[in-house]
Amino acid sequence: MTLLDARSITMRFSGIIALDDVSITVDSGELVGLIGPNGAGKTTFFNCISGLLRPTSGRVVFQGTDITRMPVYGRARKGIARTFQRTELFGGMTVRDHFLVAERAHNRRGGLLKDVLNRGAPDADETRRANSTLELLDLTGDADRPIEALSLGRGRLVELGRALMTEPALLLLDEPSSGLDTQETHEMGELLRHVQREKGTAILLVEHDVEMVRRFTDRLYVLDFGTLIASGSTESVMHDADVQKAYFGDLV
């Protein structure tokens, strides 16, 4: 079943065309990659899907509903979650706190004032769900550590876990291996596969690490200066002569 259908997405900024008639689909539970050099329009496309930008033209259809004009929080509650290239975590909070805040925001439980005053103790269901995500991502040992005490790699897992707490049908990952070494990148790819198997979450991945893309994704789209130049199975796109000539020197 088609989960995301981004149709003819065009985005202009003061006459500059950042995206030009880009169409991308993602099916339920599918693992899809989106690659291209810096400036190709990948993050702009993510912003159009998540609601941070409204495309100049085109439609974003999610689970059969046109969400082109839906605000960010509406898309999140409908089942779209996202991580960013730069980690966006909260200082002074533990790993568990990050997950509980995401849980409450998603289910609209409790209140911000109670959380700020530390009077909103988690109930049994919130605790169970947080513990389940901690276990899924092998973060149980870090659950009560402040976020500042974690490595970048562990911090990226916290960001992933926070997104998963919203129970997304579609997860948008913007360069999750950024700043990680080769071993950490390999482990991240394996973990994402594990998450997809356990949760059945569809994932659309923007990533510069070609080997991670090759191992992780089943289908692939390639952008060039805002234009879609190739799409198909990951292996077929990787071996496309035009793609290799235009991009792999920049992406490797």
Side-chain angles (χ1 to χ4, degrees):
M1 182 183 94
T2 300
L3 183 68
L4 173 71
D5 186 1
R7 306 176 184 177
S8 301
I9 302 298
T10 296
M11 189 73 223
R12 296 187 179 91
F13 298 101
S14 301
I16 297 173
I17 302 177
L19 294 170
D20 187 9
D21 195 29
V22 175
S23 296
I24 288 177
T25 64
V26 180
D27 291 342
S28 297
E30 194 175 22
L31 307 175
V32 179
L34 176 62
I35 65 173
N38 291 333
K42 305 181 298 296
T43 296
T44 299
F45 181 80
F46 264 24
N47 288 342
C48 290
I49 301 305
S50 62
L52 291 175
L53 290 174
R54 182 176 295 175
T56 306
S57 62
R59 299 172 64 202
V60 181
V61 178
F62 184 69
Q63 294 179 326
T65 300
D66 189 333
I67 63 169
T68 309
R69 296 182 176 274
M70 186 178 289
V72 173
Y73 67 84
R75 300 183 197 211
R77 287 171 178 163
K78 191 167 178 60
I80 298 176
R82 178 185 178 174
T83 66
F84 293 82
Q85 184 176 352
R86 292 181 57 187
T87 53
E88 302 285 345
L89 301 172
F90 306 123
M93 292 175 58
T94 67
V95 175
R96 190 189 306 275
D97 289 339
H98 278 77
F99 291 1
L100 291 173
V101 167
E103 159 73 12
R104 290 190 173 191
H106 177 64
N107 291 303
R108 288 170 275 189
R109 297 176 179 174
L112 178 59
L113 181 60
K114 287 184 178 180
D115 288 335
V116 170
L117 296 176
N118 198 28
R119 294 178 182 173
D123 61 28
D125 185 56
E126 290 173 332
T127 299
R128 177 190 60 78
R129 293 200 63 246
N131 287 342
S132 177
T133 303
L134 288 164
E135 183 177 355
L136 176 67
L137 300 179
D138 193 26
L139 285 170
T140 302
D142 294 317
D144 298 310
R145 297 182 67 195
I147 203 68
E148 294 88 347
L150 271 60
S151 66
L152 174 61
R154 304 299 277 176
R156 290 206 175 278
L157 293 183
V158 174
E159 192 174 36
L160 174 61
R162 183 177 58 188
L164 290 173
M165 288 296 294
T166 67
E167 300 181 313
L170 174 64
L171 185 57
L172 307 175
L173 299 179
D174 194 349
E175 297 194 27
S177 76
S178 179
L180 304 186
D181 62 27
T182 301
Q183 181 61 31
E184 289 173 324
T185 297
H186 176 76
E187 292 172 356
M188 174 64 76
E190 292 299 310
L191 180 61
L192 291 176
R193 277 279 185 186
H194 175 64
V195 167
Q196 192 278 333
R197 288 193 299 267
E198 291 293 314
K199 296 287 188 179
T201 307
I203 296 176
L204 180 59
L205 172 74
V206 164
E207 182 55 61
H208 276 287
D209 189 293
V210 173
E211 287 308 310
M212 181 177 178
V213 171
R214 189 190 302 274
R215 291 193 307 267
F216 177 71
T217 64
D218 300 317
R219 282 198 304 119
L220 194 57
Y221 291 91
V222 184
L223 282 175
D224 176 18
F225 294 107
T227 300
L228 194 65
I229 65 160
S231 65
S233 70
T234 297
E235 283 305 312
S236 67
V237 172
M238 287 287 190
H239 289 95
D240 183 277
D242 291 335
V243 171
Q244 289 191 351
K245 180 180 178 180
Y247 292 108
F248 284 174
D250 291 321
L251 292 170
V252 175

